[in-house]
């Protein structure tokens, strides 16, 4: 039995995670650009990366770790 078939559920979960993470960052970028335009400033990539990393970590900490520890 191949590794992909043996761990199919894990690979599907990883794929869903990566797709959702990518979409989260993409739509976050669009929102960040709109917000910067509303305030009359130019969007800065570094500020966006800090903001999204913080938001992603907060979401990771509050959701994933909570569910992980409840499951364990």
């Amino acid at each position: 039995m191949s590794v992909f078939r043996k761990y199919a559920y894990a690979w599907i979960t990883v794929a869903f995670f990566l797709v959702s993470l990518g979409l989260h960052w993409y739509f976050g970028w669009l929102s960040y650009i709109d917000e910067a335009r509303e305030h009359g400033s130019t969007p800065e990539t570094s500020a966006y990366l800090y903001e999204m990393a913080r938001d992603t970590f907060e979401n990771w900490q509050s959701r994933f770790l909570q569910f992980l520890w409840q499951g364990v």
Side-chain angles (χ1 to χ4, degrees), residues 29 32 43-50:
W29 174 250
Y32 181 77
E44 296 179 15
T45 305
S46 62
Y48 165 74
L49 292 175
Y50 287 128

Side-chain angles (χ1 to χ4, degrees), residues 26-38:
Y26 173 72
F27 288 120
W29 174 250
L30 296 179
S31 176
Y32 181 77
I33 290 173
D34 286 341
E35 187 174 325
R37 286 181 183 156
E38 286 178 8

Side-chain angles (χ1 to χ4, degrees), residues 1-2 7-8 10 16 25-26 34 45-47 54 58 70:
M1 183 177 270
S2 75
Y7 298 107
F16 281 146
W25 280 62
Y26 173 72
D34 286 341
T45 305
S46 62
R54 183 197 67 212
E58 286 176 0
Q70 285 178 353

